[in-house]
Amino acid sequence: MMVVPLRISWQMDHHVVATCAVVVEQVRLLMKSIDYLHEHVRSALVAKATNDSAAHYLFFANVPTFMYRDSYRRTPRVRLLPALGYACIFMTCFITVVAIMLRSGLRPFCLGADVPLLKATGLRGASLFLASYWITTVRMAPACLVLFVGTPMVLCSWNLMVTELTRFPADGIIQAWWNVSSFGAFLGNWNLIVKAWLSKYAFKPMLRRGYSVTASKLATILLSAIGHEFVLVGTLGFVIPYVAFLYVFGTGE
């Protein structure tokens, strides 16, 4: 399910933007499907009626939430002007991120191009690895900064645009991540939709099974890091473990 569409996209040599769309949609639909099935199975076990209309399913499939409910609170009306404003912000941020994060711009920094030069200095073993890792990290810092700032802006503007068009309330899906006081708070709050899903299917189940809060939190952070890394690997075609490292070691909450 997760491999076939991505493999086809790679074989057809799709543009990085198209490949990113395939990967993100795979992950999004998988997470929605898990909660959809979970809620329906739980309702069936207690003989509870569910809203199985096609219109409700399509609404759930398109609104910015991974939590399935038989009914959702709706805002009074569609607001086109705010939606248009969010659409403009989305396109501006999206074009900027794509222009900087293209595959051709990142690949030279991930293949050890500095290793021959570093070997000429006499470095070997762990010293060579650490030097190469440090140089690569420094050279990728501008692109990573764009990734960490641009991606939340793209996601938030898109979600807000969809909420305005579908009359879905924005409560609980947007938080002022741009005004946090620590990097850990940023990582923990920039994507509340995924955070709620991870809390339901990773953090809380581990607590119920007797694991400590620290162990449950670390496992949830690790799962989140793997998911984000999958999106990057699927999009770019090569591994950039810096995002996973930042999620595992940079989240202090």
Side-chain angles (χ1 to χ4, degrees), residues 16-193:
V16 63
V17 176
T19 305
C20 180
V22 170
V23 177
V24 172
E25 279 301 293
Q26 281 184 280
V27 175
R28 188 180 74 90
L29 292 177
L30 176 64
M31 296 173 73
K32 281 179 176 283
S33 299
I34 289 174
D35 196 69
Y36 179 83
L37 292 174
H38 176 267
E39 292 300 319
H40 275 69
V41 169
R42 188 171 66 173
S43 297
L45 292 176
V46 297
K48 176 185 175 183
T50 57
N51 186 354
D52 292 323
S53 67
H56 186 67
Y57 176 78
L58 290 175
F59 180 79
F60 167 66
N62 290 281
V63 294
T65 181
F66 295 138
M67 301 291 105
Y68 179 82
R69 300 290 183 269
D70 286 330
S71 62
Y72 294 95
R73 182 169 58 88
R74 307 290 291 276
T75 55
R77 58 189 176 86
V78 174
R79 301 193 304 170
L80 292 179
L81 285 180
L84 180 61
Y86 292 132
C88 293
I89 296 173
F90 167 78
M91 289 304 301
T92 301
C93 297
F94 180 77
I95 292 173
T96 302
V97 171
V98 169
I100 297 177
M101 300 299 295
L102 284 178
R103 186 185 311 177
S104 58
L106 281 178
R107 187 178 294 276
F109 302 138
C110 303
L111 297 180
D114 297 306
V115 171
L117 179 62
L118 291 172
K119 282 185 176 180
T121 64
L123 294 175
R124 295 291 185 273
S127 299
L128 176 64
F129 171 79
L130 291 175
S132 178
Y133 180 83
W134 173 251
I135 292 175
T136 303
T137 302
V138 171
R139 292 172 65 184
M140 285 189 62
C144 287
L145 179 62
V146 172
L147 178 67
F148 278 111
V149 176
T151 302
M153 293 183 68
V154 169
L155 179 68
C156 289
S157 57
W158 174 266
N159 286 339
L160 288 172
M161 180 189 69
V162 174
T163 59
E164 295 294 349
L165 294 176
T166 59
R167 295 172 48 215
F168 187 81
D171 304 345
I173 68 172
I174 299 295
Q175 193 165 334
W177 52 265
W178 54 87
N179 198 29
V180 295
S181 58
S182 67
F183 186 64
F186 165 75
L187 292 179
N189 293 299
W190 78 271
N191 195 344
L192 295 182
I193 302 173

